Structure formats: structure tokens, C-alpha cells
């Protein structure tokens, strides 16, 4: 069993609350208010800036050149893949890249990103990977599950279909698979049963913060 599968099994309720959140269901059936998605997407741009810093920290915490390369691959997935999706979607609504960078940070964005950075600063590469895992692996699961299912006809449907397509893409799915293998490889060197409860707490907390991040999208709806 992979470390990811073990953590997911042990944190089943937090995981389900994240990947089956109403926000995700609303994107999948097209009913999510477009304003909620815009709020989410703008905050997610800030989120990804901090997650890029977290992958840079993973490079710093690496013990081998192989780990460094894998950290760099994660960084590239964000900086050259995901963030461009946000810029592309926001451009359609007249929101420029510069404006995205100056959006005020919501407390949910702050809480989640700083939790991950703090987990990595305080711990080793494995602590940081476990804190990062719900992000990359949860979106991989969501993308694969909802690939091509958004019905047409609502304001948000084209954006939601584009969003799911990005996370269902071969590039993203391969990045998620590589991350899972990388975490298993680190665990084979550093995981002991004595430290597992700490890792489980990190994974549980990060999954809970992911669910809060979806919920944040519904804030400020009229
Ligand atoms: C909040 C959040 N979680 C995960 C991902 C996928 N990297 C994301 N873009 N944003």
C-alpha cells in the first residue's frame, strides 16, 4: 500500500469532505455560481505562489540530487502549468495577471499556505511532502473523477469544463503519480511507525484546510 493510500484510509472523513465538497459538485453539474468560482480562482493564484515557495523549500530539504529534480518538476507544474490556467481563465473576464498578484489574501489562503510552509520548515522532506500531498493528489483524483462531465448551458460551465480538463490532463495526472512515487521513496528511507501519527495529523489538517479553501469561494456571495 502506498503512503498516500494509508493516509487517505486513516483520514477518510476529512478526505471525503475535501474531494466531495459542494463546490466540486457544483462545478461538476454546472450549478456553482460563477462569482464563487472567480473568488476561488483569484485566491488560488495567490495560493499557488506560496505553494511554489513550498516546492522550492522541498528542493532545499532534499538529501539527493534526484529529490531536487523531483522538487523542481513540482515547481514547474505550478509555475508553467497551473498558474497559466488561472491567467487564461481570468483574462476572459478582463482580469489581468498584474491584478491577480495584488488581490488581498483571504484568511483561508493564509492559513493553508502557511501551515504547509511551517510543516516543511519545522520538519524534514517527508513532513513537507505529506503536507503537500492533499493538494496535488486531491486535485488529481477530482480531475480524473469529473473528466468531461460538466453539462453545457450555465454561465460557469465552459470555465468548469476547462478547469476539470486541466486536472484530468496527462501532464497533471503524471505529475500526481510521480509525486506519489516520490513520497513513497522518501518514506522508505525515513518513515517509522513512531512518527506516523505526526504525519497522519499533518495530512488530516491539510485535507481540512483544502475543504475550508473550497468553502471560502462561497464567502461574499450576494
Ligand atoms: C487550494 C488548492 N489545492 C490544490 C491545488 C492543486 N495544485 C490547487 N491549485 N489549489
Amino acid at each position: 500500500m502506498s503512503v498516500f493510500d494509508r493516509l487517505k484510509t486513516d483520514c477518510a472523513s476529512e478526505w471525503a469532505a475535501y474531494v466531495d465538497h459542494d463546490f466540486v459538485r457544483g462545478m461538476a453539474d454546472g450549478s456553482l455560481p460563477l462569482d464563487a468560482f472567480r473568488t476561488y480562482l483569484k485566491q488560488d493564484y495567490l495560493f499557488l505562489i506560496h505553494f511554489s515557495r513550498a516546492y522550492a523549500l522541498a528542493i532545499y530539504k532534499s538529501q539527493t540530487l534526484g529529490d531536487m529534480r523531483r522538487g523542481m518538476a513540482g515547481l514547474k507544474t505550478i509555475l508553467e502549468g497551473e498558474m497559466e490556467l488561472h491567467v487564461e481563465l481570468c483574462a476572459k473576464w478582463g482580469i489581468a495577471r498584474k491584478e491577480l498578484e495584488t488581490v488581498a489574501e483571504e484568511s483561508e489562503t493564509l492559513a493553508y499556505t502557511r501551515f504547509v510552509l511551517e510543516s516543511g520548515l519545522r520538519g524534514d522532506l517527508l513532513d513537507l511532502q505529506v503536507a503537500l500531498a492533499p493538494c496535488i493528489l486531491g486535485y488529481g483524483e477530482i480531475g480524473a473523477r469529473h473528466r468531461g462531465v460538466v453539462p453545457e448551458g450555465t454561465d460557469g460551465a465552459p470555465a468548469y469544463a476547462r478547469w476539470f480538463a486541466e486536472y484530468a490532463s496527462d501532464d497533471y495526472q503524471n505529475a500526481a503519480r510521480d509525486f506519489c512515487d516520490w513520497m513513497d521513496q522518501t518514506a522508505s528511507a525515513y518513515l517509522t511507525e513512531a512518527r506516523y501519527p505526526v504525519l497522519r495529523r499533518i495530512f488530516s489538517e491539510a485535507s481540512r484546510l483544502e475543504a475550508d479553501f473550497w468553502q471560502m469561494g462561497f464567502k461574499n456571495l450576494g
Side-chain angles (χ1 to χ4, degrees):
M1 188 191 250
S2 68
V3 182
F4 173 51
D5 283 336
R6 182 175 177 192
L7 289 163
K8 229 173 28 162
T9 304
D10 289 342
C11 304
S13 60
E14 301 91 316
W15 190 255
Y18 160 35
V19 296
D20 287 332
H21 194 277
D22 282 349
F23 193 100
V24 179
R25 288 170 186 248
M27 280 197 286
D29 66 15
S31 66
L32 181 77
L34 188 52
D35 277 344
F37 185 69
R38 282 200 197 101
T39 297
Y40 154 79
L41 202 69
K42 287 194 264 178
Q43 287 298 312
D44 204 49
Y45 193 79
L46 301 180
F47 167 91
L48 290 173
I49 292 172
H50 291 294
F51 262 58
S52 300
R53 298 171 62 219
Y55 275 95
L57 179 61
I59 296 173
Y60 178 80
K61 293 266 172 174
S62 289
Q63 298 282 346
T64 68
L65 280 176
D67 286 334
M68 286 183 164
R69 285 198 194 92
R70 295 179 100 149
M72 194 171 72
L75 188 54
K76 270 172 74 105
T77 297
I78 295 178
L79 287 178
E80 293 173 5
E82 279 189 89
M83 289 178 89
E84 290 311 306
L85 167 73
H86 294 51
V87 171
E88 173 198 317
L89 288 173
C90 285
K92 293 204 170 93
W93 306 315
I95 304 166
R97 187 188 293 263
K98 262 256 147 329
E99 193 181 327
L100 278 175
E101 285 165 21
T102 56
V103 167
E105 200 172 17
E106 294 282 356
S107 51
E108 290 84 351
T109 311
L110 192 97
Y112 186 15
T113 56
R114 302 323 191 275
F115 169 78
V116 169
L117 283 162
E118 170 61 18
S119 299
L121 284 168
R122 192 179 33 191
D124 65 8
L125 180 62
L126 184 57
D127 293 291
L128 179 54
Q129 286 172 327
V130 169
L132 288 166
C135 163
I136 181 159
L137 300 177
Y139 275 43
E141 212 170 280
I142 290 166
R145 187 178 305 167
H146 297 288
R147 177 193 312 256
V149 298
V150 184
E152 290 172 17
T154 59
D155 283 353
Y160 308 154
R162 173 72 187 90
W163 189 94
F164 282 125
E166 179 73 20
Y167 293 104
S169 70
D170 288 348
D171 278 357
Y172 194 86
Q173 292 291 319
N174 288 337
R177 220 167 290 122
D178 285 351
F179 182 92
C180 204
D181 291 346
W182 184 32
M183 187 162 68
D184 277 341
Q185 188 188 303
T186 313
S188 69
Y190 299 114
L191 178 59
T192 60
E193 284 312 301
R195 77 178 280 200
Y196 180 74
V198 174
L199 296 175
R200 178 182 164 158
R201 250 193 321 275
I202 293 173
F203 187 87
S204 158
E205 194 61 34
S207 301
R208 198 173 65 76
L209 290 162
E210 281 283 2
D212 290 351
F213 201 89
W214 291 132
Q215 195 59 38
M216 178 223 4
F218 293 120
K219 265 182 16 186
N220 312 321
L221 278 184

